[in-house]
Amino acid sequence: MKPIWIVDDDESIRWVLEKALARENLATQSFSSARDAIQALQSGTPQVLVSDIRMPGASGLELLQTVKAKHPGIPVIIITAFSDLDSAVSAFQGGAFEYLAKPFDVDKAVELIRRALDESLREIDVEQSAAQTPEILGQAPAMQDVFRAIGRLSQSNVTVLITGESGSGKELVARALHKHSPRASQPFVALNTAAIPKDLLESELFGHERGAFTGAQAMRRGRFEQAEGGTLFLDEIGDMPLDLQTRLLRVLSDGHFYRVGGHQSLKANVRVIAATHQNLEQRVREGLFREDLYHRLNVIRLRLPSLRERSEDIPILARHFLSQSARQLGVEAKRLSPQAMQFLSQLEFAGNVRQLENLCNWITVMAPGQTVEIKDLPQDLVEERVHAPQPTQTVSAPASAAMSQPAGGEGGYPAPAEASHASWISLLEAEAAHMLAQEQPEVMDILGRQFEAALIKIALKHTHGRKNDAAVRLGIGRNTITRKIQELGIGGAEDD
């Protein structure tokens, strides 16, 4: 390990820090001026740099700028007097790890240097692995299944339907399918069909001729033409209007389409990958999605697990997002303490990977120190977890908790006397109200999946894992319960 550099024109401060760090078996190298330290950087670097701000000649801030320009991964601790607090702010803006205010406690100084040392050693590991960071991260078995599927499809042009909750990373998977396909050198064009008004969506997809409608002053190529030879990703396909579903079906069937207002048939050489968070089979039954289009899209289906189904991936994802956010902002990457990491790993993350990414961006900007503790996390997140009612409560506990972790009765579930109709309806209403107040998306879909999972789990408990018996008890078909078990990631079922 490299030595810790101490830069201060005050010999007594250098001596105190040298002795304190020597007791910790940490090597040091001292300099009486910033110029000497800058000169020494030509032949070596420190593991951590501790520097005063005010010194004859070059200042500590100039030293900080030099170090960050050449070696951005080296933590720099600035020593400042009370009158230098404006300079301390400048130090943080320049990328300082932390500052020590004079007069400082020696033990606290050593503790701070230790933290910087840990950060420096961790930064080395991050730099070594940054170039090899994969496009999609995940060590959970469910994600490994997704990776294997992408590999098997790498030489195929087949249509793929990606399902999964909002924020689970469906577009990343679509991009990976394109990148590892024979069309990788051609365009990848993405369109969120739910984000485009119905009147404009047809033009977005197929383009339009000049004068086709008011405001169409020039011919415009649509997404099918833009993606020629490559891949067209249609996100939220379940929200596409029925009349446009008919036009899309025609393209997938014979490979030809017309621009809006056009009369010349155009050939589409495009691979289509579609994605949705909705249950397309249910929408087909409700008459909201064409069954023939569903079968055209559902050639190969990939289901992405929610983040709560792969909670073991939260640490690696959090570290990746913190590093990514730090690079974007040009600052040092924050580090989650073991306690904070464990806390995050126990959260539900209804918004999935996207919510975790947004949280890491917040941490990078708002968390006060380089090492983030639980108390440094967003207050509403901490309070929600700390005050969350336990699943054994029957009135105030959230419905999702009661459904996923019931207590009492056979197999850990509520006895009939404890789980009255009124109580679970109240729980459901309370949970729905909470989610709506938090402006969470897809409330119906999230609670519906939890409700279905709870019913199937308790039925399998009562039938000792026999799917056929459970289906009969629930009044659904065997194929339906088999599909639901796979979609909801429910274990403990037997093939009977």
Side-chain angles (χ1 to χ4, degrees), residues 49-54 59-69 72 74-81 84-101 112 329-332 368 370:
L49 176 65
V50 183
S51 174
D52 192 11
I53 282 187
R54 296 183 181 274
S59 69
L61 293 180
E62 292 178 65
L63 175 58
L64 171 66
Q65 292 170 0
T66 302
V67 170
K68 288 301 172 182
I74 298 176
V76 178
I77 297 173
I78 293 296
I79 302 175
T80 177
D84 292 330
L85 284 182
D86 288 341
S87 299
V89 173
S90 300
F92 275 112
Q93 293 174 342
F97 176 80
E98 189 56 273
Y99 73 91
L100 273 173
L112 177 58
L329 295 174
V331 298
E332 295 278 352
Q370 287 300 116

Side-chain angles (χ1 to χ4, degrees), residues 231-368:
T231 301
L232 176 60
F233 174 56
L234 299 177
D235 198 6
E236 301 300 352
I237 192 72
D239 294 302
M240 178 177 281
L242 276 170
D243 50 349
L244 286 182
Q245 292 178 28
T246 304
R247 289 207 60 182
L248 177 60
L249 175 64
R250 187 173 300 122
V251 180
L252 295 178
S253 301
D254 60 24
H256 290 82
F257 67 96
Y258 293 86
R259 296 193 191 107
V260 177
H263 303 286
Q264 179 182 356
S265 176
L266 302 175
K267 176 69 175 176
N269 175 23
V270 171
R271 180 195 193 181
V272 172
I273 298 176
T276 182
H277 73 280
Q278 302 200 53
N279 185 329
L280 287 188
E281 294 94 334
Q282 181 65 31
R283 290 184 72 78
V284 168
R285 289 193 292 271
E286 295 171 352
L288 299 174
F289 201 85
R290 291 184 61 111
E291 185 174 8
D292 43 7
L293 176 58
Y294 166 71
H295 291 301
R296 280 283 179 181
L297 295 172
N298 193 35
V299 179
I300 298 291
R301 178 186 291 210
L302 286 182
R303 178 188 174 274
L304 281 189
S306 64
L307 190 53
R308 60 184 171 276
E309 295 176 72
R310 46 183 291 224
S311 57
E312 59 263 55
D313 285 339
I314 290 178
I316 188 174
L317 287 168
R319 285 191 286 267
H320 168 71
F321 289 137
L322 287 172
S323 178
Q324 174 181 275
S325 181
R327 286 196 303 272
Q328 292 171 351
L329 295 174
V331 298
E332 295 278 352
K334 301 283 176 78
R335 173 180 172 272
L336 291 166
S337 71
Q339 294 78 14
M341 188 69 81
Q342 182 180 11
F343 177 85
L344 291 186
S345 299
Q346 296 171 347
L347 295 179
E348 286 292 321
F349 285 109
N352 292 296
V353 179
R354 186 184 298 128
Q355 181 183 356
L356 177 60
E357 181 178 10
N358 292 339
L359 173 61
C360 290
N361 290 336
W362 185 96
I363 289 172
T364 299
V365 175
M366 301 299 294

